[in-house]
C-alpha cells in the first residue's frame, strides 16, 4: 500500500509540474485560509470591554475635594494656596479606604475652615497619580504644612486619632508666655523640647523656622506627638530654665541633666535637631500600636526584656490624659527615679553623675561589699550618650579585688564604735591611661539587722562561729517600695501603654475577659476604669496578669504587682491561657430541661487549661493523654486510632482517653512535651510515675493496648496484698485461692496479649491484601483505559488512512483520465499534423503545376 501511495504522490507531483495551474490554485487557497484566520483573531480583541470611568468616592456634601480621575496637578494647585493640606490617596475597591472614608468625612466637617481636604483616586489607570506614585497599600494620608511635607500618617484610621494628628500639624508648637506655663509644660512625663527665640528684629527669626520644621520632622517619626515642642519669646521666662542666649533649643530630662543643642558641634537644621532629640530623650512610658497585620513590632520590643503591658482607655482629643494613664505615668516616673535619695549613705560624688555601678563581693570577707561606679569627665559628656565600660577584672579578677582590699577596706572603721548597721569607706582611682574617666569604689561592712526577739538571743549567738551568722538581712523596701526600683533589681521592667479600645483582642489573648463590655463593667466596679495589665517575660516564656482586689486602687495594685515581680523569689503565679471550657455551658443547658435525656458521654475527653490538672491528676483513673495541635498533619492521621482505642475502652470506668490542644492551651512546664504528636500515660495511685509512649514504636492500636496494660494501675495493684489479708484472721485457704486467681488473671492477660498480636497480624495481612487488591484494581482500570484509548487511536488512524487512500485513488483516477486525454490529444495532434502536411504538399504540387503551365504557356 505504501508503494501505491508513493506512486500516487509521484503522479500528483508530476501532474502539478506538467500543469502549473493546479499549483497556483493551491497557493491561492492557502492565502485565503491565512487571511480568514487573521480576520477571525483580529475580531477577538474587541471581546474585552473597556473599564468604566470612575465616579465620586466621597459624598457631594462632604467638604472634601474628590479628584476621582487622579488629577495630581490639581493637588499641587490646591496645596499651594492652603496653610495646611490633607491629602487622602485611596483605591475605590479597597475595603480599608471605604472604612476610612467615613472617618475622614467626620474630621473634614470639623476642620474644613482650617485644613484643605483633598481625596485622590490613585488607582485609575489613566490618572496622573497612578503613573507617578507606587503605593503598596491603601489608603495613604499625607499632610503638608505650607511647603513642608509630606508628613505621612501611620496611626489607626479612626476619626479621633486622625483629628488629633491634624491638630498637631496645625499647631506644632506650644506658646509659653509665663513661668507657670513653662513649669506646667515640663511637668508631664513625656519628653519636652523648649526653644527660646526673641521676636525683636524681624517678624520671624531665622532659627524659628528651623525649630518649627524640626517639630514637624518629629511628627514624621511619631504620629502620637509624644515629644512636644514649646517656644518662649520672653527672656525673663526663659530664665526659668536657665536660657540666656537667643535661638537656643533646650531638651528637658527628668532623671539626667537637661541638654542644650550644641550648635558648635552640630548643624542647626531640622533633621539634626530631630535626630538629637530622639538620641537623648528619656522615655519611661512608651506607646505601642500593633498594625493588625503581619508585623514584628511586639517581638522587637519584647525581646529587649520583661515588659509591663498596660491597656488603658485613651481619648486622643482629650486636653488632659485619662486618670488611669496619669496613675501609670506617675508609677513609671517613680520606678525610674534612681536619684541620690537611694544612695544617701554612699558617695554622692559618683552616684549623682552616673548610673554605671556594679557590686563586688570580696570572697575573703563575707561581710564586706564594694560598689564600683564609673565617672566620666570628658567635655562632650553632656551631648554624648553614656557608655558603661567596666574592665573585665571587675567580674571577679584577683588584681581588682586586691586593689579594693588595699585602698578601701583599711578605711572601714570598727563596727563596735559605730551605732549603725553599716560602716563605709570610699576611694577614687583612675582608669589605665585614661585621664577622662575614673572609678569610685565605696566599700561597706554589713552587719545583721536584729529585731527585738533576735536581740534577746544575741548573747546566745556570741558562742556561734562567725561563719554561721548570716551577713545580710532581708532588705525591706524603703518609702513606697517603688521609687528607684529600677536601680535595685536585675529584673528591670519596660513600661508600654496600649489603647484598650484598639488592642482588646491582644488583651484577651493575654488573659483578659473575652467579653469586653462585661470586663469593663467589672473593672468599673473594682478600680474605676477599664484597664488591664500584664507582665510578659519573653525570655522565660511566661507572663503574669494583674489581679485587682476590691479594696485596692489601680495605683496600689500596680505597685504591688511590680514589687512582687521584682522580688528575688517572686510570689506571682504564671498565667495560663486556654480555650473556654464548653462543658459548663453544656451541663447548664442540660439542667434547664429536666425531661430531656442525659447528655451523651464523649469517647475522648477534650482537656483545656482549667480542666487539665483535675482530670489528669485524678487518683482513681488511669489517663491516656494525647497531645496534638490543629496544624499537625500527623496528629490528624492518628485520630482514627485514638477513636478505636476509646471505643475498646468505653466500658472500662477506670481508664480515660483524653487529648489536649497544646497550641491553644498553656500547660504547666512539667506537663509539656517537646514535639507533637505525643502520648503520655498517667497511672492511677501513681501519678508521679507517668510514662511516655516510646518514640521508636509505631502508634498502632495493638501497641497502645499493650502500652496501657503494661503500665495501668490495676495490673500492678493485683500484686499488692490488701489490708484485710494481712490481719490476724488471715486464712491460708483464701490466700491460696487468691494466688490461683492471680495466676489465672495473668494467664488471661498473656492470652489476651497473644490474641492481640494475632489479631494485629491478621489485621496487617488483611490491610496489606486490601492495599494489593486496590493496587491491582487501579492497574486494571488503568489498563482498561489504555486499551480503550488504543482502540480509539486505531479507529482514528484507520479512518484517516482510509480517507487518505480514497483521496489518493481519486488522484490516481484523475491522473489516469488526464493520461487518456493526453493520448487522445496526441492522436488528434498527429492527425492534424498529417493533414496539414498533406495540405502543404498538395499546395506545393499545385504551385509547381501552375508554374509548369505558365512556363509552358510562355
Amino acid at each position: 500500500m505504501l508503494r501505491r501511495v508513493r506512486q500516487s504522490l509521484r503522479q500528483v507531483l508530476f501532474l502539478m509540474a506538467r500543469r502549473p495551474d493546479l499549483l497556483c490554485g493551491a497557493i491561492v487557497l492557502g492565502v485565503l485560509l491565512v487571511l480568514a484566520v487573521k480576520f477571525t483573531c483580529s475580531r477577538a480583541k474587541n471581546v474585552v470591554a473597556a473599564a468604566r470611568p470612575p465616579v465620586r468616592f466621597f459624598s457631594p456634601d462632604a467638604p472634601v475635594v474628590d479628584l476621582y480621575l487622579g488629577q495630581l496637578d490639581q493637588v499641587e494647585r490646591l496645596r499651594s494656596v492652603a496653610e495646611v493640606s490633607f491629602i487622602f490617596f485611596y483605591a475605590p475597591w479597597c475595603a480599608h479606604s471605604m472604612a476610612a472614608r467615613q472617618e475622614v468625612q467626620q474630621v473634614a466637617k470639623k476642620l474644613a475652615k482650617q485644613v484643605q481636604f483633598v481625596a485622590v483616586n490613585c488607582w485609575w489607570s489613566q490618572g496622573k497619580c497612578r503613573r507617578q506614585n507606587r503605593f503598596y497599600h491603601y489608603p495613604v494620608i499625607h499632610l503638608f504644612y505650607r511647603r513642608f511635607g509630606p508628613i505621612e500618617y501611620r496611626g489607626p484610621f479612626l476619626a479621633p486619632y486622625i483629628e488629633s494628628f491634624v491638630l498637631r500639624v496645625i499647631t506644632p508648637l506650644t506658646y509659653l508666655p509665663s513661668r507657670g506655663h513653662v513649669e506646667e509644660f515640663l511637668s508631664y512625663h513625656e519628653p519636652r523640647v523648649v526653644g527660646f527665640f526673641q521676636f525683636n528684629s524681624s517678624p520671624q527669626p531665622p532659627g524659628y523656622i528651623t525649630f518649627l520644621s524640626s517639630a514637624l520632622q518629629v511628627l514624621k517619626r511619631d504620629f502620637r506627638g509624644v515629644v512636644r515642642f514649646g517656644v518662649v519669646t520672653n527672656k525673663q521666662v526663659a530664665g526659668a530654665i536657665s536660657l540666656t542666649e537667643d535661638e537656643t533649643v533646650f531638651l528637658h530630662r527628668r532623671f539626667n541633666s537637661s541638654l542644650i543643642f550644641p550648635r558648635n558641634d552640630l548643624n542647626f537644621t531640622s533633621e539634626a535637631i530631630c535626630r538629637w532629640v530622639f538620641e537623648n530623650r528619656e522615655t519611661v512610658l512608651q506607646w505601642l500600636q500593633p498594625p493588625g497585620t503581619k508585623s514584628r513590632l511586639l517581638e522587637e520590643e519584647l525581646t529587649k526584656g520583661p515588659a509591663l503591658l498596660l491597656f488603658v482607655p485613651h481619648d486622643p482629643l482629650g486636653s488632659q490624659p485619662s486618670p488611669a494613664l496619669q496613675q501609670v505615668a506617675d508609677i513609671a516616673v517613680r520606678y525610674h527615679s534612681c536619684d541620690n535619695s537611694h544612695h544617701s549613705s554612699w558617695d554622692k560624688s559618683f552616684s549623682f553623675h552616673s548610673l554605671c555601678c556594679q557590686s563586688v563581693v570580696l570572697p575573703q570577707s563575707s561581710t564586706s561589699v564594694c560598689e564600683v561606679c564609673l565617672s566620666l569627665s570628658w567635655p562632650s559628656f553632656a551631648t554624648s550618650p553614656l557608655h558603661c565600660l567596666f574592665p573585665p577584672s571587675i567580674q571577679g579578677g584577683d588584681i581588682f579585688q586586691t586593689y579594693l582590699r588595699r585602698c578601701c577596706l583599711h578605711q572601714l572603721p570598727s563596727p563596735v564604735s559605730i551605732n549603725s548597721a553599716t560602716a563605709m569607706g570610699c576611694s577614687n582611682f583612675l582608669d589605665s591611661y585614661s585621664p577622662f574617666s575614673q572609678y569610685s569604689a565605696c566599700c561597706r561592712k554589713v552587719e545583721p539587722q536584729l529585731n527585738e526577739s533576735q536581740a534577746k538571743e544575741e548573747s546566745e549567738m556570741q558562742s556561734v562561729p562567725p561563719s554561721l551568722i548570716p551577713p545580710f538581712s532581708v532588705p525591706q523596701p524603703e518609702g513606697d517600695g517603688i521609687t528607684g526600683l529600677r536601680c535595685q533589681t536585675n529584673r528591670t521592667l519596660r513600661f508600654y501603654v496600649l489603647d484598650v479600645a484598639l488592642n482588646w483582642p491582644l488583651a484577651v489573648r493575654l488573659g483578659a475577659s473575652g467579653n469586653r463590655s462585661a470586663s469593663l463593667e467589672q473593672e468599673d466596679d473594682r478600680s474605676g476604669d477599664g484597664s488591664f495589665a500584664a507582665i510578659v517575660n519573653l525570655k522565660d516564656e511566661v507572663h503574669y496578669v494583674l489581679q485587682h482586689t476590691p479594696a485596692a486602687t489601680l495605683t496600689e495594685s500596680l505597685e504591688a504587682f511590680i514589687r512582687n515581680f521584682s522580688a528575688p523569689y517572686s510570689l506571682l503565679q504564671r498565667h495560663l491561657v486556654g480555650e473556654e471550657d464548653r462543658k459548663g455551658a453544656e451541663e447548664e443547658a442540660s439542667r434547664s430541661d429536666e425531661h430531656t435525656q442525659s447528655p451523651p458521654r464523649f469517647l475522648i475527653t477534650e482537656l483545656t487549661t482549667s480542666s487539665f490538672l483535675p482530670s489528669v491528676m485524678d487518683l482513681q483513673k488511669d489517663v491516656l493523654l494525647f497531645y496534638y495541635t490543629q496544624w499537625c498533619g500527623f496528629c490528624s492521621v492518628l485520630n482514627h486510632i485514638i477513636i478505636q482505642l476509646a471505643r475498646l475502652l468505653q466500658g472500662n470506668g477506670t481508664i480515660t482517653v483524653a487529648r489536649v490542644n497544646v497550641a491553644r492551651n498553656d500547660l504547666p512546664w512539667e506537663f509539656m512535651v517537646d514535639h507533637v504528636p505525643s502520648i503520655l500515660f498517667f497511672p492511677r495511685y501513681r501519678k508521679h510515675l507517668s510514662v511516655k509512649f516510646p518514640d521508636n514504636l509505631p502508634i498502632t492500636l495493638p501497641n497502645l493496648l499493650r502500652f496501657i496494660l503494661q503500665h495501668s494501675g490495676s495490673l500492678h495493684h493485683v500484686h499488692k496484698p490488701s489490708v484485710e489479708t494481712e490481719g490476724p484472721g488471715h486464712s491460708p485457704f483464701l490466700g491460696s485461692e487468691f494466688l490461683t486467681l492471680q495466676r489465672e488473671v495473668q494467664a488471661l492477660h498473656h492470652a489476651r496479649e497473644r490474641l492481640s498480636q494475632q489479631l494485629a497480624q491478621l489485621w496487617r495481612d488483611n490491610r496489606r491484601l486490601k492495599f494489593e487488591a486496590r493496587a491491582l484494581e487501579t492497574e486494571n482500570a488503568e489498563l482498561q483505559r489504555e486499551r480503550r484509548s488504543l482502540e480509539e487511536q486505531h479507529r482514528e488512524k484507520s479512518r484517516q488512512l482510509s480517507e487518505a487512500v480514497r483521496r489518493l485513488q481519486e488522484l490516481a483516477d484523475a491522473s489516469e483520465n488526464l493520461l487518456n486525454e493526453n493520448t487522445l490529444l496526441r492522436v488528434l495532434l498527429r492527425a492534424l499534423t498529417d493533414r496539414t502536411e498533406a495540405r502543404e504538399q498538395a499546395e506545393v504540387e499545385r504551385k509547381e503545376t501552375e508554374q509548369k503551365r505558365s512556363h509552358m504557356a510562355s
Side-chain angles (χ1 to χ4, degrees), residues 217-517:
Q217 195 79 25
V218 168
L219 288 176
K220 285 187 174 182
R221 299 177 58 177
D222 180 21
F223 77 93
R224 290 183 180 273
V226 175
V227 181
R228 302 292 181 87
F229 283 71
V231 60
V232 175
T233 59
N234 192 322
K235 191 172 184 179
Q236 286 74 18
V237 177
I241 51 178
S242 303
L243 297 182
T244 57
E245 297 183 4
D246 191 14
E247 299 185 5
T248 303
V249 178
F250 172 83
L251 174 61
H252 174 69
R253 300 198 297 182
R254 186 180 296 271
F255 309 115
N256 296 305
S257 301
S258 299
L259 303 178
I260 295 178
F261 183 77
R263 302 190 61 170
N264 297 330
D265 299 334
L266 300 176
N267 295 328
F268 193 76
T269 60
S270 59
E271 293 81 4
I273 295 175
C274 177
R275 184 168 54 254
W276 174 75
V277 168
F278 277 98
E279 288 178 356
N280 297 280
R281 65 172 179 169
E282 292 177 342
T283 303
V284 298
L285 203 61
Q286 183 176 348
W287 279 93
L288 280 183
Q289 180 55 51
T293 57
K294 289 185 178 180
S295 173
R296 301 187 63 181
L297 174 63
L298 283 176
E299 180 184 1
E300 292 175 356
E301 296 297 334
L302 294 180
T303 51
K304 297 178 181 178
L308 176 61
L309 302 181
L310 298 140
F311 298 81
V312 297
H314 176 60
D315 183 14
L317 299 177
S319 58
Q320 297 293 335
S322 63
L325 185 59
Q326 289 181 349
Q327 297 177 38
V328 171
D330 177 67
I331 294 174
V333 170
R334 289 189 284 116
Y335 178 83
H336 289 82
S337 298
C338 302
D339 53 4
N340 292 343
S341 60
H342 179 61
H343 303 280
S344 58
S345 61
W346 292 78
D347 184 15
K348 303 294 181 66
S349 62
F350 65 86
S351 62
F352 178 79
H353 295 290
S354 174
L355 296 179
C356 297
C357 299
Q358 289 190 5
S359 297
V360 180
V361 180
L362 299 182
Q364 290 82 0
S365 176
S366 60
T367 60
S368 298
V369 176
C370 292
E371 182 169 345
V372 182
C373 292
L374 174 63
S375 177
L376 304 178
S377 58
W378 54 73
S380 60
F381 173 71
T383 60
S384 302
L386 185 61
H387 298 281
C388 302
L389 300 176
F390 286 93
S393 57
I394 288 183
Q395 303 298 333
D398 296 336
I399 299 176
F400 196 78
Q401 295 179 358
T402 303
Y403 177 81
L404 290 179
R405 290 196 301 271
R406 185 178 70 253
C407 73
C408 302
L409 293 183
H410 70 277
Q411 300 179 9
L412 292 176
S414 175
V416 179
S417 61
I418 300 178
N419 296 327
S420 61
T422 61
M424 182 178 60
C426 296
S427 175
N428 297 330
F429 59 97
L430 293 176
D431 191 10
S432 301
Y433 306 106
S434 178
F436 300 109
S437 63
Q438 66 176 1
Y439 294 98
S440 299
C442 287
C443 302
R444 63 176 178 174
K445 182 172 292 184
V446 182
E447 300 295 338
Q449 300 288 339
L450 301 179
N451 52 26
E452 295 180 359
S453 60
Q454 292 173 338
K456 296 179 182 179
E457 301 175 1
E458 184 177 3
S459 59
E460 300 177 2
M461 295 179 63
Q462 299 296 331
S463 60
V464 181
S467 60
L468 300 180
I469 300 177
F472 294 96
S473 61
V474 178
Q476 299 295 332
E478 301 178 359
D480 57 359
I482 198 69
T483 302
L485 188 58
R486 174 179 175 270
C487 303
Q488 305 173 29
T489 178
N490 291 331
R491 308 181 72 182
T492 304
L493 278 175
R494 296 176 178 271
F495 288 72
Y496 296 97
V497 184
L498 298 94
D499 191 346
V500 68
L502 299 178
N503 302 280
W504 183 249
L506 177 59
V508 171
R509 291 182 60 184
L510 291 175
S513 175
N515 187 356
R516 180 168 177 258
S517 60

Side-chain angles (χ1 to χ4, degrees), residues 618-630:
D618 188 358
L619 295 178
Q620 303 297 328
K621 290 183 180 295
D622 294 319
V623 180
L624 182 76
L625 184 59
F626 176 59
Y627 290 82
Y628 78 100
T629 60
Q630 70 275 8

Side-chain angles (χ1 to χ4, degrees), residues 623-666:
V623 180
L624 182 76
L625 184 59
F626 176 59
Y627 290 82
Y628 78 100
T629 60
Q630 70 275 8
W631 45 262
C632 175
F634 299 101
C635 303
S636 302
V637 172
L638 297 176
N639 280 338
H640 71 284
I641 298 178
I642 305 299
I643 293 174
Q644 292 179 9
L645 178 65
R647 288 177 178 173
L648 290 177
L649 302 177
Q650 187 175 6
N652 194 332
T654 61
I655 299 179
T656 301
V657 179
R659 68 174 188 172
V660 59
N661 188 347
V662 292
R664 296 182 178 178
N665 297 276
D666 292 340

Side-chain angles (χ1 to χ4, degrees), residues 579-741:
E579 293 179 317
E580 296 181 359
D581 193 2
R582 299 178 178 85
K583 294 182 180 179
E586 294 176 357
E587 293 177 358
E588 190 69 23
S590 62
R591 295 194 199 101
S592 61
D593 191 358
E594 299 179 354
H595 301 285
T596 58
Q597 60 182 1
S598 60
R601 181 182 177 184
F602 297 102
L603 291 174
I604 302 176
T605 304
E606 186 73 27
L607 301 182
T608 60
T609 301
S610 58
S611 62
F612 181 81
L613 288 177
S615 300
V616 171
M617 304 307 292
D618 188 358
L619 295 178
Q620 303 297 328
K621 290 183 180 295
D622 294 319
V623 180
L624 182 76
L625 184 59
F626 176 59
Y627 290 82
Y628 78 100
T629 60
Q630 70 275 8
W631 45 262
C632 175
F634 299 101
C635 303
S636 302
V637 172
L638 297 176
N639 280 338
H640 71 284
I641 298 178
I642 305 299
I643 293 174
Q644 292 179 9
L645 178 65
R647 288 177 178 173
L648 290 177
L649 302 177
Q650 187 175 6
N652 194 332
T654 61
I655 299 179
T656 301
V657 179
R659 68 174 188 172
V660 59
N661 188 347
V662 292
R664 296 182 178 178
N665 297 276
D666 292 340
L667 302 179
W669 296 123
E670 59 270 20
F671 294 99
M672 286 300 295
V673 292
D674 55 355
H675 68 276
V676 289
S678 294
I679 298 177
L680 268 68
F681 184 77
F682 298 86
R684 61 175 179 169
Y685 306 116
R686 297 172 295 109
K687 298 296 181 179
H688 61 286
L689 299 178
S690 60
V691 186
K692 183 181 179 182
F693 188 83
D695 294 333
N696 56 354
L697 287 180
I699 302 178
T700 60
L701 185 60
N703 289 340
L704 288 176
L705 287 172
R706 191 180 301 108
F707 175 71
I708 293 174
L709 294 175
Q710 181 181 359
H711 301 284
S712 61
S714 58
L715 182 61
H716 288 271
H717 279 271
V718 170
H719 301 279
K720 186 177 180 180
S722 62
V723 179
E724 297 178 357
T725 59
E726 295 178 353
H730 172 65
S731 175
F733 176 77
L734 293 178
S736 62
E737 290 291 330
F738 178 79
L739 294 177
T740 303
L741 291 175

